[in-house]
Amino acid sequence: GKQWYQRRVRGPDGYVCTEAGFGSDIGAEKFFDIKCRYSGLVPNCAVLVCTVRALKMHGGGPPVTPGGQLAQEYREENLDLLEKGLCHLGKQMDNLRQFGVPVVVCINRFHTDTEKELEMVREYALGQQGLAAIGDHWAKGGEGAVEVANAVVEACKQESKFKFLYELERPLVDKMNEIVRRIYGGEGVELSEMVLEKIAKLEKQGYGNLPICMAKTHLSLSCDVTKKGVPTGFTVPVKDIILSAGAGFVYPLAGTISTMPGLPTRPAYYEIDVDTETGQITGLF
């Protein structure tokens, strides 16, 4: 249980860190409202990792193509783009504060970042009532993360007033709307007749008190990946809602999101092999 974990893993004066995933809107919300609810664990603080590059993109920077070369705006100092994108950092911090935990902003430094850019982000985070630290772990490993670790220690000295975003007893639609309005910044969910019928059936079967595990893109606070920064005035279309009874939640499919299939009893990779003499790969198809 929790007592064993505390004694054996972290010791009396240690700290346990876990990764919640993509941003406050996807990873943190699920971690707080599902994982903490079921485990009974109470977080002492939240670490929000950001980069100068990502904030420039949310400030209107050029699209980023996986595998392609970064545009010049991301490789050179551009305080104007960065300043315009800081609103996204502010929204992410605000989302975390809604759960009642202190926030540490870790500014993940890259070699293309300038001191002026890093200082602009730090000052903004401090102005938003958070702690801020430069993380140089990309270049220096653990040694480069000492400043961040010290900030976490300071944050954990503050009182955690952790709370859930919603109560489980509320209807499924209300819980979805709560997430969209308070975390995403939208107007609410948009439901088809088919989804409404499935929701009514789930609630009739006794699954209405389960938490929500929203399946949504991580590339925008909305469902539209082209809307960066802090979009407003949008709705979140839910194309389906699915029960995961064993896991203990229902997951609405928002926008055009697709789910990944679970592994079968014997995954296909068992059949894949390579001939070390010829280099011929077998079992792929």
Side-chain angles (χ1 to χ4, degrees):
K2 287 184 289 184
Q3 290 77 16
W4 179 91
Y5 195 73
Q6 291 168 349
R7 289 197 309 268
R8 298 296 180 88
V9 178
R10 72 175 178 88
D13 300 312
Y15 295 79
V16 175
C17 301
T18 184
E19 181 184 8
F22 295 110
S24 64
D25 54 317
I26 301 297
E29 187 276 316
K30 293 178 174 64
F31 177 81
F32 291 143
D33 278 324
I34 300 176
K35 188 171 183 179
C36 290
R37 198 188 298 264
Y38 280 129
S39 69
L41 295 172
V42 176
N44 296 95
C45 79
V47 179
L48 177 62
V49 182
C50 69
T51 65
V52 168
R53 294 175 176 181
L55 292 173
K56 285 180 179 178
M57 184 179 66
H58 281 286
V64 176
T65 304
Q69 184 181 35
L70 283 175
Q72 182 176 347
E73 288 87 344
Y74 300 117
R75 293 181 282 114
E76 296 181 356
E77 184 176 281
N78 193 317
L79 298 177
D80 182 55
L81 268 184
L82 178 58
E83 185 176 20
K84 291 177 181 177
L86 288 174
C87 60
H88 184 80
L89 175 60
K91 174 57 177 168
Q92 296 278 352
M93 294 178 68
D94 179 65
N95 284 347
L96 294 172
R97 281 195 296 267
Q98 292 193 63
F99 293 95
V101 295
V103 180
V104 175
V105 174
C106 167
I107 308 163
N108 188 5
R109 182 207 295 264
F110 283 79
H111 69 282
T112 52
D113 301 339
T114 68
E115 292 302 321
K116 288 184 179 180
E117 289 175 331
L118 294 168
E119 191 56 31
M120 176 180 282
V121 179
R122 186 204 292 269
E123 290 182 0
Y124 180 86
L126 293 174
Q128 296 294 310
Q129 301 177 342
L131 283 78
I134 306 294
D136 220 355
H137 46 281
W138 183 81
K140 300 179 181 179
E143 179 186 352
V146 171
E147 182 182 337
V148 179
N150 288 334
V152 169
V153 171
E154 289 303 312
C156 290
K157 293 177 182 178
Q158 301 178 26
E159 181 183 3
S160 175
K161 300 178 180 179
F162 177 67
K163 57 186 176 182
F164 301 119
L165 190 70
Y166 54 79
E167 297 301 323
L168 291 180
E169 293 74 21
R170 297 175 62 181
L172 293 174
V173 174
D174 285 2
K175 289 182 280 194
M176 285 188 279
N177 278 325
E178 192 79 355
I179 295 171
V180 172
R181 291 167 182 163
R182 293 179 59 185
I183 301 300
Y184 305 163
E187 299 294 323
V189 290
E190 185 180 325
L191 306 172
S192 66
E193 286 298 322
M194 182 271 288
V195 173
L196 286 170
E197 290 175 4
K198 292 189 72 171
I199 290 173
K201 184 177 181 180
L202 287 171
E203 292 180 336
K204 184 177 180 180
Q205 293 174 330
Y207 296 112
N209 288 346
L210 292 179
I212 302 294
C213 186
M214 193 76 80
K216 181 189 79 71
T217 180
H218 62 284
L219 298 174
S220 171
L221 288 168
S222 71
C223 285
D224 185 346
V225 298
T226 66
K227 292 182 177 179
K228 305 301 182 184
V230 184
T232 57
F234 62 89
T235 57
V236 172
V238 175
K239 66 179 183 180
D240 202 356
I241 186 167
I242 301 170
L243 169 68
S244 287
F249 55 72
V250 296
Y251 63 96
L253 301 180
T256 58
I257 197 72
S258 298
T259 57
M260 294 177 62
L263 291 176
T265 304
R266 183 176 177 80
Y269 72 79
Y270 279 111
E271 313 303 329
I272 300 173
D273 201 359
V274 59
D275 189 314
T276 57
E277 293 183 2
T278 66
Q280 181 69 33
I281 299 174
T282 59
L284 284 175
F285 305 103

